[in-house]
Amino acid sequence: INVIARYDFIQGDTVVQNQDGDHIEQDRHGTIVLGALAGYHEEDLVGPAWGADFLLAKTEIYGEEIEIEEDNWIAGIEWADSAGAEIISSSLGYIDWYTPADLDGDTPLCTQAADIAAEHGIVVVTAMGNYGAAGDTTLIAPADGDSVIAVGAVDRYGFIAPFSSRGPTADGRIKPDLVALGVGTYSVQYPTFDSYATSSGTSLSTPLVAGLCAQLLEIKPDLTPESMRELLTSTSSRSENPDIVYGYGIPDGVLASGIDVDPTTVVLGGAYPNPFRSRTSFHLDVPPGERVAVRIYDCRGALVKEIPAAEALVQGGSLVWDGTNSQGLHVATGLYFVRFSAAGFDRTIKVLLIR
């Protein structure tokens, strides 16, 4: 990861990893979020903004929730602006000294700072918060800003995470703006140097959207914060019917980019979860009229089951195998091979079933 500058606004130096005076897990959250945003290791982890240049600002005090942290965050925004930042990915926020009535897009100090940053040409992507459906307006500042992109969390099936904060803002605007994968998001495994794991929270969905913004800026360098937000919300999954739970939905980076994609191509994602105990899912985009054969084999090469893709495609493109054979009986623990075949397309995914 190409880090061009660091600053610790807590201790006033350039050390953002743990040091004397820090809690032992001070750097945990930032490490996992940065991994989801920028990590790259072939076949293990590919963050959406890998290859970009990064500024790292350390502003939060582990185990505390005090007002000076908001001051630190504002100082960090100003520092990033002075260093030429184009995007800010912020997986934190403040509510303890504000009320839902304050979240009007103008009152919180961090929201004011975020809006000023947007005026200066910085795309500000921030987490909605993890307060779920605890009441009306559970979002945190600066997610209430009218110039920021506030991100909620969904699972791999596209359903809202129970913990994902809801809108609206105090002045009635829709929040979140977008949602992204925040349940079981893949990243580095803290505190190892060579392992990977999943984590959850709107903190993990936020860097995915920020990374998408980085890709779109690479393709469309003239995008402003306002036009970036408009582009993403107008091309996302619920752009025609937004609400205060999903916002405008899951962003569609391909549609937003304007890049033509062959509509006749089958697109297959990986298996999740894998290993699995009772069921695993595959994301499968099938062009209209395309016939896809889905066959499951055991490690000896014997056919276990054939799934008609037309019958199995449920919940927005997820094909589900429930660990049964063609007779509907549960198969034994072991390694299985799921083969997808269509005209000009043939791919096999290995899955491990553990009873």
Side-chain angles (χ1 to χ4, degrees):
I1 296 178
N2 186 25
V3 178
I4 60 176
R6 305 167 173 84
Y7 199 81
D8 179 350
F9 290 87
I10 301 168
Q11 300 201 34
D13 56 33
T14 58
V15 180
V16 295
Q17 65 264 37
N18 281 4
Q19 56 182 315
D20 290 344
D22 286 335
H23 187 279
I24 191 173
E25 293 192 343
Q26 170 71 42
D27 60 356
R28 177 187 184 94
H29 184 264
T31 298
I32 294 171
V33 170
L34 181 61
L37 174 67
Y40 180 85
H41 191 258
E42 190 172 354
E43 297 185 355
D44 287 316
L45 177 67
V46 180
W50 73 271
D53 296 331
F54 294 90
L55 307 164
L56 303 183
K58 177 178 169 184
T59 66
E60 291 292 291
I61 305 169
Y62 186 94
E64 299 278 358
E65 193 64 18
I66 54 179
E67 293 181 49
I68 197 172
E69 293 174 296
E70 185 178 19
D71 295 337
N72 291 343
W73 189 87
I74 294 169
I77 290 282
E78 293 175 339
W79 171 75
D81 187 4
S82 70
E86 295 178 277
I87 301 169
I88 288 170
S89 182
S90 177
S91 290
L92 48 81
Y94 310 96
I95 192 59
D96 285 31
W97 43 91
Y98 295 116
T99 68
D102 293 325
L103 301 183
D104 57 5
D106 294 315
T107 299
L109 297 180
C110 60
T111 304
Q112 296 177 39
D115 284 345
I116 292 171
E119 290 174 3
H120 289 194
I122 302 174
V123 177
V124 181
V125 186
T126 189
M128 270 292 288
N130 300 328
Y131 293 96
D136 294 336
T137 307
T138 56
L139 77 165
I140 56 179
D144 62 314
D146 57 13
S147 299
V148 308
I149 299 173
V151 184
V154 292
D155 63 19
R156 289 179 182 268
Y157 301 103
F159 294 116
I160 197 69
F163 57 76
S164 186
S165 288
R166 275 70 160 162
T169 62
D171 56 329
R173 286 175 291 111
I174 287 177
K175 290 288 178 173
D177 297 291
L178 300 168
V179 290
L181 182 66
V183 179
T185 306
Y186 211 56
S187 184
V188 296
Q189 183 176 11
Y190 179 94
T192 71
F193 289 92
D194 57 0
S195 298
Y196 304 88
T198 58
S199 300
S200 299
T202 57
S203 286
L204 278 300
S205 54
T206 297
L208 300 186
V209 173
L212 174 57
C213 290
Q215 295 180 28
L216 289 172
L217 274 181
E218 189 81 3
I219 298 166
K220 301 173 178 285
D222 294 333
L223 284 172
T224 65
E226 181 180 1
S227 60
M228 176 73 78
R229 182 176 177 276
E230 172 61 27
L231 176 63
L232 286 171
T233 56
S234 65
T235 55
S236 54
S237 63
R238 294 173 179 253
S239 60
E240 300 298 323
N241 188 30
D243 60 33
I244 61 172
V245 177
Y246 290 88
Y248 292 83
I250 301 170
D252 186 330
V254 173
L255 185 59
S257 73
I259 296 174
D260 290 332
V261 176
D262 185 354
T264 65
T265 301
V266 176
V267 179
L268 174 64
Y272 179 83
N274 188 22
F276 71 103
R277 294 188 180 277
S278 60
R279 55 193 284 145
T280 188
S281 302
F282 310 87
H283 184 79
L284 184 66
D285 289 333
V286 181
E290 183 66 78
R291 297 177 63 86
V292 179
V294 184
R295 298 182 178 93
I296 302 168
Y297 300 87
D298 63 21
C299 59
R300 298 171 299 174
L303 179 64
V304 173
K305 187 173 187 176
E306 183 168 356
I307 305 176
E311 295 178 8
L313 285 174
V314 296
Q315 297 178 350
S318 289
L319 184 149
V320 178
W321 180 41
D322 61 2
T324 63
N325 61 19
S326 56
Q327 287 78 44
L329 303 175
H330 290 287
V331 298
T333 292
L335 185 66
Y336 294 86
F337 299 85
V338 185
R339 183 176 181 179
F340 298 82
S341 303
F345 180 85
D346 192 277
R347 183 179 172 190
T348 300
I349 295 180
K350 294 185 291 186
V351 295
L352 179 60
L353 171 60
I354 301 175
R355 293 293 186 190

